[in-house]
Amino acid sequence: MINKKRSLSVYIHIPFCVRKCLYCDFLSFPAGEELRERYLRALCGEMVSQSVFYKDSKVRTVFLGGGTPSLLSGEQISRILACLRAHYDLAADAEITMEMNPGTLTRENLSCWRDAGVNRVSLGLQSADNRELSALGRIHTWETFLRSYDLCRRLGFANINVDLMSALPGQGLRSWEKTLRLVTDLEPEHISAYSLMIEEGTPFYERYGDGQKGKDGFLPLPDEETEFAMYRLTREFLESKGYRRYEISNYARPGKECAHNSTYWTRGEYAGFGLGAASMIGNARWVNLRDMDAYMSAPPDRKKTQFHRLTVKEQMEETMFLGLRMIQGVSGAAFREAYGVSVETVYGDALRKHIADGLLEYDGDVRLTDAGIDVSNYVLADFLL
């Protein structure tokens, strides 16, 4: 009998960017070519040293995220993927996504990345309004994005995601609708649409985190009523254009859902490589060192930290908290198979409460209703035991 290999997703973190956007709290920063090369050597060294633990795994998805992976050259990305292929069992039909920022793409690099195996592009647009892009601190314009998108299409990329962001400084409902219309006119296969989050430690937190609507001449944020109207418009507009909502903030053409991100939401196994990258294998979680000097100087097999083996209770919580983000919800049969107990036995009170309020439905599987999706954080909080 042939042993079936375990499915594995791989995340590779590229922490470099041209400059930090004003809202960004990701682990990213500008860096020169010498540091980038040193980092790639350390990254590939880590991947090689850890490969011994994944001999029984088949890599089904790869995601190069950041930061701005498209700051690297065609040869550098090719080197990373060649290292992965040489030491891991990469499926022939693996989904290989690379985040790219408009204004950082060249025909030569795109061709090289395509030839190296990248088959899914994630373009960070955020807004089609140049004033809104400037308010975010983005380095590109709508016109720059159009050139980048067109270049991806002309070079044969047939699976493109566009990242969008609503509730931006100075943004109104009409402006958000214009962004949705302009982007859907391009017919990308996938759209991720999030509301702006004001994160502590960012320049935006200094401007807006104290509840002010915008001080020292900065554009105000939309009020709560407008933000909610944008949120509702997103679903209605995108669904009218043929995009199926399959996760709270993600929409896709049929068959074009992001397999990599679905690994996270369904608690599949994933290995993270690079600065600060997270992993979950066999119900154990860990992250890599977040300090660049510490990461670079640590031996290839000593870059991990914060190991935590999840208890059964924590596994149940994650199953519900992550799974309910997906429109299909959580399978009651799979829950029972995994934990030897029914969903209603563990979460009966939460189920009864939110079913009565019209926020959940349960027919053996558990899923949020449309009303429940609108207040998902409120509902999901009750699934933390």
Side-chain angles (χ1 to χ4, degrees), residues 137-180:
R138 300 292 287 178
I139 66 169
H140 67 271
T141 63
W142 165 245
E143 291 75 21
T144 305
F145 168 82
L146 284 176
R147 289 192 293 271
S148 296
Y149 185 93
D150 180 62
L151 188 57
C152 288
R153 286 300 197 206
R154 284 191 281 117
L155 289 175
F157 287 99
N159 194 358
I160 298 179
N161 168 65
V162 178
D163 280 337
L164 300 178
M165 190 178 291
S166 60
L168 305 182
Q171 188 178 56
L173 188 61
R174 181 173 297 179
S175 170
W176 176 236
E177 183 174 9
K178 180 180 179 182
T179 287
L180 293 173

mmCIF file of all heavy atoms in Angstrom, residues 137-180:
data_model
loop_
_atom_site.group_PDB
_atom_site.id
_atom_site.type_symbol
_atom_site.label_atom_id
_atom_site.label_comp_id
_atom_site.label_asym_id
_atom_site.label_seq_id
_atom_site.Cartn_x
_atom_site.Cartn_y
_atom_site.Cartn_z
ATOM 1 N N GLY A 137 -0.187 56.460 2.305
ATOM 2 C CA GLY A 137 1.257 56.378 2.180
ATOM 3 C C GLY A 137 1.708 55.348 1.167
ATOM 4 O O GLY A 137 2.866 54.913 1.194
ATOM 5 N N ARG A 138 0.813 54.947 0.244
ATOM 6 C CA ARG A 138 1.187 53.981 -0.792
ATOM 7 C C ARG A 138 2.122 54.635 -1.804
ATOM 8 O O ARG A 138 2.055 55.858 -2.025
ATOM 9 C CB ARG A 138 -0.059 53.452 -1.510
ATOM 10 C CG ARG A 138 -1.059 52.750 -0.609
ATOM 11 C CD ARG A 138 -0.541 51.448 -0.060
ATOM 12 N NE ARG A 138 -0.497 50.397 -1.086
ATOM 13 C CZ ARG A 138 -0.049 49.175 -0.858
ATOM 14 N NH1 ARG A 138 0.428 48.855 0.333
ATOM 15 N NH2 ARG A 138 -0.054 48.269 -1.817
ATOM 16 N N ILE A 139 2.970 53.824 -2.443
ATOM 17 C CA ILE A 139 3.953 54.377 -3.376
ATOM 18 C C ILE A 139 3.429 54.428 -4.803
ATOM 19 O O ILE A 139 4.102 54.960 -5.686
ATOM 20 C CB ILE A 139 5.265 53.559 -3.349
ATOM 21 C CG1 ILE A 139 5.023 52.130 -3.879
ATOM 22 C CG2 ILE A 139 5.872 53.552 -1.963
ATOM 23 C CD1 ILE A 139 6.297 51.343 -4.125
ATOM 24 N N HIS A 140 2.233 53.874 -5.048
ATOM 25 C CA HIS A 140 1.725 53.791 -6.412
ATOM 26 C C HIS A 140 0.470 54.644 -6.595
ATOM 27 O O HIS A 140 -0.119 55.118 -5.628
ATOM 28 C CB HIS A 140 1.408 52.335 -6.774
ATOM 29 C CG HIS A 140 0.262 51.761 -5.986
ATOM 30 N ND1 HIS A 140 0.439 51.137 -4.769
ATOM 31 C CD2 HIS A 140 -1.071 51.723 -6.239
ATOM 32 C CE1 HIS A 140 -0.740 50.746 -4.309
ATOM 33 N NE2 HIS A 140 -1.676 51.096 -5.178
ATOM 34 N N THR A 141 0.083 54.799 -7.851
ATOM 35 C CA THR A 141 -1.173 55.443 -8.220
ATOM 36 C C THR A 141 -2.065 54.405 -8.890
ATOM 37 O O THR A 141 -1.635 53.283 -9.193
ATOM 38 C CB THR A 141 -0.934 56.605 -9.201
ATOM 39 O OG1 THR A 141 -0.364 56.072 -10.412
ATOM 40 C CG2 THR A 141 0.010 57.643 -8.597
ATOM 41 N N TRP A 142 -3.317 54.783 -9.154
ATOM 42 C CA TRP A 142 -4.224 53.902 -9.884
ATOM 43 C C TRP A 142 -3.651 53.597 -11.271
ATOM 44 O O TRP A 142 -3.711 52.454 -11.745
ATOM 45 C CB TRP A 142 -5.595 54.568 -9.998
ATOM 46 C CG TRP A 142 -6.525 53.962 -11.003
ATOM 47 C CD1 TRP A 142 -6.994 54.550 -12.143
ATOM 48 C CD2 TRP A 142 -7.109 52.648 -10.970
ATOM 49 N NE1 TRP A 142 -7.831 53.680 -12.816
ATOM 50 C CE2 TRP A 142 -7.912 52.514 -12.117
ATOM 51 C CE3 TRP A 142 -7.025 51.578 -10.081
ATOM 52 C CZ2 TRP A 142 -8.632 51.354 -12.405
ATOM 53 C CZ3 TRP A 142 -7.737 50.409 -10.361
ATOM 54 C CH2 TRP A 142 -8.541 50.310 -11.510
ATOM 55 N N GLU A 143 -3.064 54.591 -11.918
ATOM 56 C CA GLU A 143 -2.507 54.392 -13.248
ATOM 57 C C GLU A 143 -1.333 53.407 -13.206
ATOM 58 O O GLU A 143 -1.177 52.574 -14.116
ATOM 59 C CB GLU A 143 -2.058 55.737 -13.825
ATOM 60 C CG GLU A 143 -3.187 56.694 -14.163
ATOM 61 C CD GLU A 143 -3.827 57.347 -12.929
ATOM 62 O OE1 GLU A 143 -3.157 57.386 -11.862
ATOM 63 O OE2 GLU A 143 -4.984 57.813 -13.037
ATOM 64 N N THR A 144 -0.521 53.490 -12.139
ATOM 65 C CA THR A 144 0.575 52.534 -11.970
ATOM 66 C C THR A 144 0.032 51.122 -11.808
ATOM 67 O O THR A 144 0.555 50.159 -12.384
ATOM 68 C CB THR A 144 1.428 52.903 -10.753
ATOM 69 O OG1 THR A 144 1.875 54.250 -10.866
ATOM 70 C CG2 THR A 144 2.632 51.985 -10.623
ATOM 71 N N PHE A 145 -1.021 50.993 -11.005
ATOM 72 C CA PHE A 145 -1.638 49.671 -10.826
ATOM 73 C C PHE A 145 -2.131 49.107 -12.151
ATOM 74 O O PHE A 145 -1.927 47.921 -12.450
ATOM 75 C CB PHE A 145 -2.812 49.773 -9.848
ATOM 76 C CG PHE A 145 -3.674 48.535 -9.837
ATOM 77 C CD1 PHE A 145 -3.321 47.418 -9.106
ATOM 78 C CD2 PHE A 145 -4.849 48.491 -10.594
ATOM 79 C CE1 PHE A 145 -4.104 46.268 -9.120
ATOM 80 C CE2 PHE A 145 -5.639 47.350 -10.610
ATOM 81 C CZ PHE A 145 -5.266 46.240 -9.875
ATOM 82 N N LEU A 146 -2.799 49.940 -12.960
ATOM 83 C CA LEU A 146 -3.314 49.466 -14.246
ATOM 84 C C LEU A 146 -2.191 48.928 -15.127
ATOM 85 O O LEU A 146 -2.342 47.889 -15.786
ATOM 86 C CB LEU A 146 -4.048 50.591 -14.972
ATOM 87 C CG LEU A 146 -5.439 50.946 -14.455
ATOM 88 C CD1 LEU A 146 -5.998 52.140 -15.227
ATOM 89 C CD2 LEU A 146 -6.392 49.765 -14.545
ATOM 90 N N ARG A 147 -1.065 49.627 -15.149
ATOM 91 C CA ARG A 147 0.069 49.155 -15.958
ATOM 92 C C ARG A 147 0.593 47.821 -15.424
ATOM 93 O O ARG A 147 0.918 46.915 -16.204
ATOM 94 C CB ARG A 147 1.181 50.206 -15.981
ATOM 95 C CG ARG A 147 0.827 51.450 -16.795
ATOM 96 C CD ARG A 147 2.043 52.324 -17.031
ATOM 97 N NE ARG A 147 2.545 52.927 -15.801
ATOM 98 C CZ ARG A 147 2.130 54.099 -15.321
ATOM 99 N NH1 ARG A 147 1.190 54.784 -15.972
ATOM 100 N NH2 ARG A 147 2.647 54.584 -14.211
ATOM 101 N N SER A 148 0.659 47.699 -14.106
ATOM 102 C CA SER A 148 1.151 46.454 -13.496
ATOM 103 C C SER A 148 0.197 45.303 -13.762
ATOM 104 O O SER A 148 0.623 44.182 -14.086
ATOM 105 C CB SER A 148 1.334 46.648 -11.986
ATOM 106 O OG SER A 148 2.329 47.616 -11.709
ATOM 107 N N TYR A 149 -1.106 45.564 -13.618
ATOM 108 C CA TYR A 149 -2.111 44.529 -13.856
ATOM 109 C C TYR A 149 -2.061 44.066 -15.312
ATOM 110 O O TYR A 149 -2.067 42.857 -15.600
ATOM 111 C CB TYR A 149 -3.491 45.075 -13.515
ATOM 112 C CG TYR A 149 -4.603 44.052 -13.616
ATOM 113 C CD1 TYR A 149 -4.996 43.312 -12.501
ATOM 114 C CD2 TYR A 149 -5.261 43.830 -14.828
ATOM 115 C CE1 TYR A 149 -6.008 42.369 -12.598
ATOM 116 C CE2 TYR A 149 -6.265 42.891 -14.933
ATOM 117 C CZ TYR A 149 -6.652 42.169 -13.816
ATOM 118 O OH TYR A 149 -7.648 41.224 -13.914
ATOM 119 N N ASP A 150 -1.984 45.029 -16.221
ATOM 120 C CA ASP A 150 -1.952 44.689 -17.644
ATOM 121 C C ASP A 150 -0.702 43.878 -17.981
ATOM 122 O O ASP A 150 -0.760 42.921 -18.776
ATOM 123 C CB ASP A 150 -1.988 45.972 -18.476
ATOM 124 C CG ASP A 150 -1.952 45.702 -19.972
ATOM 125 O OD1 ASP A 150 -2.888 45.053 -20.477
ATOM 126 O OD2 ASP A 150 -0.982 46.118 -20.621
ATOM 127 N N LEU A 151 0.424 44.222 -17.370
ATOM 128 C CA LEU A 151 1.659 43.489 -17.614
ATOM 129 C C LEU A 151 1.529 42.042 -17.132
ATOM 130 O O LEU A 151 1.960 41.111 -17.824
ATOM 131 C CB LEU A 151 2.822 44.190 -16.905
ATOM 132 C CG LEU A 151 4.228 43.672 -17.196
ATOM 133 C CD1 LEU A 151 4.541 43.719 -18.684
ATOM 134 C CD2 LEU A 151 5.258 44.492 -16.408
ATOM 135 N N CYS A 152 0.919 41.844 -15.972
ATOM 136 C CA CYS A 152 0.697 40.480 -15.470
ATOM 137 C C CYS A 152 -0.154 39.678 -16.449
ATOM 138 O O CYS A 152 0.149 38.507 -16.738
ATOM 139 C CB CYS A 152 0.016 40.522 -14.102
ATOM 140 S SG CYS A 152 1.064 41.079 -12.743
ATOM 141 N N ARG A 153 -1.201 40.268 -16.964
ATOM 142 C CA ARG A 153 -2.073 39.571 -17.909
ATOM 143 C C ARG A 153 -1.325 39.244 -19.206
ATOM 144 O O ARG A 153 -1.418 38.121 -19.719
ATOM 145 C CB ARG A 153 -3.302 40.413 -18.213
ATOM 146 C CG ARG A 153 -4.340 40.477 -17.101
ATOM 147 C CD ARG A 153 -4.869 39.096 -16.760
ATOM 148 N NE ARG A 153 -6.117 39.160 -16.014
ATOM 149 C CZ ARG A 153 -6.529 38.221 -15.183
ATOM 150 N NH1 ARG A 153 -5.782 37.133 -14.982
ATOM 151 N NH2 ARG A 153 -7.684 38.326 -14.555
ATOM 152 N N ARG A 154 -0.578 40.208 -19.728
ATOM 153 C CA ARG A 154 0.114 39.990 -20.997
ATOM 154 C C ARG A 154 1.192 38.920 -20.882
ATOM 155 O O ARG A 154 1.528 38.266 -21.879
ATOM 156 C CB ARG A 154 0.707 41.307 -21.510
ATOM 157 C CG ARG A 154 -0.345 42.231 -22.112
ATOM 158 C CD ARG A 154 0.246 43.405 -22.843
ATOM 159 N NE ARG A 154 0.685 44.455 -21.928
ATOM 160 C CZ ARG A 154 1.937 44.863 -21.795
ATOM 161 N NH1 ARG A 154 2.890 44.305 -22.530
ATOM 162 N NH2 ARG A 154 2.266 45.823 -20.962
ATOM 163 N N LEU A 155 1.706 38.721 -19.672
ATOM 164 C CA LEU A 155 2.720 37.697 -19.477
ATOM 165 C C LEU A 155 2.117 36.357 -19.054
ATOM 166 O O LEU A 155 2.844 35.439 -18.688
ATOM 167 C CB LEU A 155 3.749 38.170 -18.452
ATOM 168 C CG LEU A 155 4.665 39.286 -18.962
ATOM 169 C CD1 LEU A 155 5.581 39.797 -17.868
ATOM 170 C CD2 LEU A 155 5.488 38.806 -20.148
ATOM 171 N N GLY A 156 0.785 36.270 -19.089
ATOM 172 C CA GLY A 156 0.146 34.971 -18.948
ATOM 173 C C GLY A 156 -0.350 34.594 -17.575
ATOM 174 O O GLY A 156 -0.782 33.449 -17.373
ATOM 175 N N PHE A 157 -0.334 35.504 -16.620
ATOM 176 C CA PHE A 157 -0.858 35.172 -15.296
ATOM 177 C C PHE A 157 -2.389 35.149 -15.358
ATOM 178 O O PHE A 157 -3.030 36.160 -15.613
ATOM 179 C CB PHE A 157 -0.378 36.172 -14.249
ATOM 180 C CG PHE A 157 1.082 36.006 -13.900
ATOM 181 C CD1 PHE A 157 2.042 36.820 -14.479
ATOM 182 C CD2 PHE A 157 1.478 35.015 -13.017
ATOM 183 C CE1 PHE A 157 3.386 36.662 -14.174
ATOM 184 C CE2 PHE A 157 2.821 34.849 -12.708
ATOM 185 C CZ PHE A 157 3.780 35.670 -13.281
ATOM 186 N N ALA A 158 -2.953 33.966 -15.089
ATOM 187 C CA ALA A 158 -4.399 33.763 -15.247
ATOM 188 C C ALA A 158 -5.118 33.644 -13.909
ATOM 189 O O ALA A 158 -6.306 33.300 -13.879
ATOM 190 C CB ALA A 158 -4.653 32.503 -16.074
ATOM 191 N N ASN A 159 -4.429 33.926 -12.819
ATOM 192 C CA ASN A 159 -5.048 33.868 -11.498
ATOM 193 C C ASN A 159 -4.512 35.037 -10.683
ATOM 194 O O ASN A 159 -3.409 34.975 -10.130
ATOM 195 C CB ASN A 159 -4.736 32.530 -10.817
ATOM 196 C CG ASN A 159 -5.618 32.277 -9.609
ATOM 197 O OD1 ASN A 159 -6.452 33.117 -9.245
ATOM 198 N ND2 ASN A 159 -5.443 31.136 -8.975
ATOM 199 N N ILE A 160 -5.297 36.117 -10.628
ATOM 200 C CA ILE A 160 -4.862 37.350 -9.969
ATOM 201 C C ILE A 160 -5.840 37.731 -8.874
ATOM 202 O O ILE A 160 -7.053 37.756 -9.082
ATOM 203 C CB ILE A 160 -4.744 38.512 -10.981
ATOM 204 C CG1 ILE A 160 -3.686 38.181 -12.048
ATOM 205 C CG2 ILE A 160 -4.401 39.819 -10.268
ATOM 206 C CD1 ILE A 160 -3.516 39.271 -13.102
ATOM 207 N N ASN A 161 -5.295 38.022 -7.704
ATOM 208 C CA ASN A 161 -6.065 38.607 -6.607
ATOM 209 C C ASN A 161 -5.743 40.091 -6.518
ATOM 210 O O ASN A 161 -4.603 40.505 -6.752
ATOM 211 C CB ASN A 161 -5.709 37.952 -5.273
ATOM 212 C CG ASN A 161 -6.265 38.741 -4.085
ATOM 213 O OD1 ASN A 161 -7.469 38.851 -3.917
ATOM 214 N ND2 ASN A 161 -5.385 39.332 -3.281
ATOM 215 N N VAL A 162 -6.746 40.892 -6.188
ATOM 216 C CA VAL A 162 -6.548 42.314 -5.926
ATOM 217 C C VAL A 162 -6.986 42.596 -4.494
ATOM 218 O O VAL A 162 -8.115 42.282 -4.109
ATOM 219 C CB VAL A 162 -7.337 43.192 -6.917
ATOM 220 C CG1 VAL A 162 -7.156 44.666 -6.584
ATOM 221 C CG2 VAL A 162 -6.889 42.920 -8.351
ATOM 222 N N ASP A 163 -6.076 43.177 -3.710
ATOM 223 C CA ASP A 163 -6.386 43.578 -2.337
ATOM 224 C C ASP A 163 -6.998 44.968 -2.335
ATOM 225 O O ASP A 163 -6.427 45.906 -2.930
ATOM 226 C CB ASP A 163 -5.115 43.607 -1.477
ATOM 227 C CG ASP A 163 -4.698 42.226 -1.009
ATOM 228 O OD1 ASP A 163 -5.548 41.333 -0.953
ATOM 229 O OD2 ASP A 163 -3.500 42.051 -0.692
ATOM 230 N N LEU A 164 -8.129 45.107 -1.644
ATOM 231 C CA LEU A 164 -8.807 46.401 -1.507
ATOM 232 C C LEU A 164 -9.026 46.703 -0.030
ATOM 233 O O LEU A 164 -9.119 45.797 0.799
ATOM 234 C CB LEU A 164 -10.153 46.377 -2.231
ATOM 235 C CG LEU A 164 -10.124 46.109 -3.733
ATOM 236 C CD1 LEU A 164 -11.543 46.078 -4.286
ATOM 237 C CD2 LEU A 164 -9.286 47.163 -4.453
ATOM 238 N N MET A 165 -9.160 47.990 0.270
ATOM 239 C CA MET A 165 -9.357 48.417 1.649
ATOM 240 C C MET A 165 -10.374 49.554 1.694
ATOM 241 O O MET A 165 -10.260 50.529 0.933
ATOM 242 C CB MET A 165 -8.022 48.873 2.248
ATOM 243 C CG MET A 165 -8.051 49.110 3.747
ATOM 244 S SD MET A 165 -6.400 49.584 4.359
ATOM 245 C CE MET A 165 -5.503 48.048 4.130
ATOM 246 N N SER A 166 -11.371 49.406 2.564
ATOM 247 C CA SER A 166 -12.397 50.443 2.708
ATOM 248 C C SER A 166 -12.243 51.164 4.044
ATOM 249 O O SER A 166 -11.381 50.823 4.856
ATOM 250 C CB SER A 166 -13.794 49.821 2.611
ATOM 251 O OG SER A 166 -13.989 48.861 3.637
ATOM 252 N N ALA A 167 -13.106 52.164 4.250
ATOM 253 C CA ALA A 167 -13.076 52.999 5.460
ATOM 254 C C ALA A 167 -11.752 53.751 5.582
ATOM 255 O O ALA A 167 -11.188 53.884 6.660
ATOM 256 C CB ALA A 167 -13.354 52.169 6.718
ATOM 257 N N LEU A 168 -11.290 54.271 4.452
ATOM 258 C CA LEU A 168 -10.020 54.998 4.420
ATOM 259 C C LEU A 168 -10.220 56.473 4.744
ATOM 260 O O LEU A 168 -11.328 57.005 4.621
ATOM 261 C CB LEU A 168 -9.405 54.876 3.015
ATOM 262 C CG LEU A 168 -9.204 53.458 2.473
ATOM 263 C CD1 LEU A 168 -8.543 53.522 1.097
ATOM 264 C CD2 LEU A 168 -8.389 52.617 3.426
ATOM 265 N N PRO A 169 -9.164 57.168 5.136
ATOM 266 C CA PRO A 169 -9.280 58.610 5.397
ATOM 267 C C PRO A 169 -9.810 59.347 4.163
ATOM 268 O O PRO A 169 -9.314 59.176 3.052
ATOM 269 C CB PRO A 169 -7.834 59.028 5.700
ATOM 270 C CG PRO A 169 -7.185 57.785 6.219
ATOM 271 C CD PRO A 169 -7.817 56.662 5.455
ATOM 272 N N GLY A 170 -10.848 60.126 4.385
ATOM 273 C CA GLY A 170 -11.428 60.923 3.319
ATOM 274 C C GLY A 170 -12.318 60.156 2.360
ATOM 275 O O GLY A 170 -12.850 60.740 1.415
ATOM 276 N N GLN A 171 -12.512 58.868 2.587
ATOM 277 C CA GLN A 171 -13.278 58.048 1.648
ATOM 278 C C GLN A 171 -14.775 58.138 1.940
ATOM 279 O O GLN A 171 -15.202 58.108 3.083
ATOM 280 C CB GLN A 171 -12.829 56.590 1.752
ATOM 281 C CG GLN A 171 -13.419 55.675 0.685
ATOM 282 C CD GLN A 171 -12.881 54.253 0.837
ATOM 283 O OE1 GLN A 171 -12.999 53.657 1.896
ATOM 284 N NE2 GLN A 171 -12.292 53.729 -0.229
ATOM 285 N N GLY A 172 -15.566 58.225 0.867
ATOM 286 C CA GLY A 172 -17.010 58.187 0.981
ATOM 287 C C GLY A 172 -17.566 56.962 0.282
ATOM 288 O O GLY A 172 -16.842 56.236 -0.413
ATOM 289 N N LEU A 173 -18.856 56.745 0.438
ATOM 290 C CA LEU A 173 -19.492 55.561 -0.148
ATOM 291 C C LEU A 173 -19.367 55.569 -1.671
ATOM 292 O O LEU A 173 -19.111 54.531 -2.292
ATOM 293 C CB LEU A 173 -20.962 55.509 0.278
ATOM 294 C CG LEU A 173 -21.734 54.239 -0.094
ATOM 295 C CD1 LEU A 173 -21.111 53.013 0.552
ATOM 296 C CD2 LEU A 173 -23.196 54.380 0.325
ATOM 297 N N ARG A 174 -19.525 56.740 -2.279
ATOM 298 C CA ARG A 174 -19.442 56.820 -3.744
ATOM 299 C C ARG A 174 -18.042 56.478 -4.235
ATOM 300 O O ARG A 174 -17.865 55.783 -5.249
ATOM 301 C CB ARG A 174 -19.846 58.220 -4.201
ATOM 302 C CG ARG A 174 -19.826 58.388 -5.711
ATOM 303 C CD ARG A 174 -20.404 59.734 -6.123
ATOM 304 N NE ARG A 174 -21.818 59.847 -5.754
ATOM 305 C CZ ARG A 174 -22.564 60.921 -5.980
ATOM 306 N NH1 ARG A 174 -22.020 61.984 -6.579
ATOM 307 N NH2 ARG A 174 -23.813 60.961 -5.616
ATOM 308 N N SER A 175 -17.021 56.941 -3.513
ATOM 309 C CA SER A 175 -15.648 56.641 -3.894
ATOM 310 C C SER A 175 -15.365 55.150 -3.788
ATOM 311 O O SER A 175 -14.708 54.561 -4.660
ATOM 312 C CB SER A 175 -14.677 57.421 -3.000
ATOM 313 O OG SER A 175 -13.351 56.983 -3.198
ATOM 314 N N TRP A 176 -15.851 54.507 -2.719
ATOM 315 C CA TRP A 176 -15.650 53.066 -2.547
ATOM 316 C C TRP A 176 -16.356 52.281 -3.655
ATOM 317 O O TRP A 176 -15.793 51.330 -4.199
ATOM 318 C CB TRP A 176 -16.146 52.638 -1.175
ATOM 319 C CG TRP A 176 -16.089 51.161 -0.895
ATOM 320 C CD1 TRP A 176 -17.119 50.354 -0.521
ATOM 321 C CD2 TRP A 176 -14.939 50.303 -0.954
ATOM 322 N NE1 TRP A 176 -16.697 49.055 -0.339
ATOM 323 C CE2 TRP A 176 -15.358 48.998 -0.596
ATOM 324 C CE3 TRP A 176 -13.593 50.513 -1.280
ATOM 325 C CZ2 TRP A 176 -14.490 47.909 -0.554
ATOM 326 C CZ3 TRP A 176 -12.723 49.424 -1.241
ATOM 327 C CH2 TRP A 176 -13.170 48.149 -0.880
ATOM 328 N N GLU A 177 -17.550 52.709 -4.006
ATOM 329 C CA GLU A 177 -18.265 52.034 -5.090
ATOM 330 C C GLU A 177 -17.492 52.184 -6.409
ATOM 331 O O GLU A 177 -17.434 51.235 -7.213
ATOM 332 C CB GLU A 177 -19.676 52.596 -5.242
ATOM 333 C CG GLU A 177 -20.487 51.882 -6.313
ATOM 334 C CD GLU A 177 -21.930 52.347 -6.360
ATOM 335 O OE1 GLU A 177 -22.273 53.342 -5.685
ATOM 336 O OE2 GLU A 177 -22.729 51.706 -7.076
ATOM 337 N N LYS A 178 -16.897 53.341 -6.629
ATOM 338 C CA LYS A 178 -16.109 53.545 -7.847
ATOM 339 C C LYS A 178 -14.918 52.595 -7.879
ATOM 340 O O LYS A 178 -14.607 52.003 -8.929
ATOM 341 C CB LYS A 178 -15.637 54.992 -7.935
ATOM 342 C CG LYS A 178 -14.810 55.285 -9.186
ATOM 343 C CD LYS A 178 -14.356 56.743 -9.216
ATOM 344 C CE LYS A 178 -13.507 57.018 -10.462
ATOM 345 N NZ LYS A 178 -13.017 58.423 -10.482
ATOM 346 N N THR A 179 -14.253 52.421 -6.748
ATOM 347 C CA THR A 179 -13.137 51.472 -6.682
ATOM 348 C C THR A 179 -13.604 50.065 -7.015
ATOM 349 O O THR A 179 -12.979 49.357 -7.816
ATOM 350 C CB THR A 179 -12.481 51.501 -5.284
ATOM 351 O OG1 THR A 179 -11.720 52.708 -5.146
ATOM 352 C CG2 THR A 179 -11.546 50.311 -5.080
ATOM 353 N N LEU A 180 -14.718 49.631 -6.419
ATOM 354 C CA LEU A 180 -15.251 48.297 -6.710
ATOM 355 C C LEU A 180 -15.585 48.143 -8.194
ATOM 356 O O LEU A 180 -15.296 47.101 -8.806
ATOM 357 C CB LEU A 180 -16.489 48.038 -5.863
ATOM 358 C CG LEU A 180 -16.279 47.913 -4.350
ATOM 359 C CD1 LEU A 180 -17.626 47.833 -3.634
ATOM 360 C CD2 LEU A 180 -15.425 46.693 -4.007
#
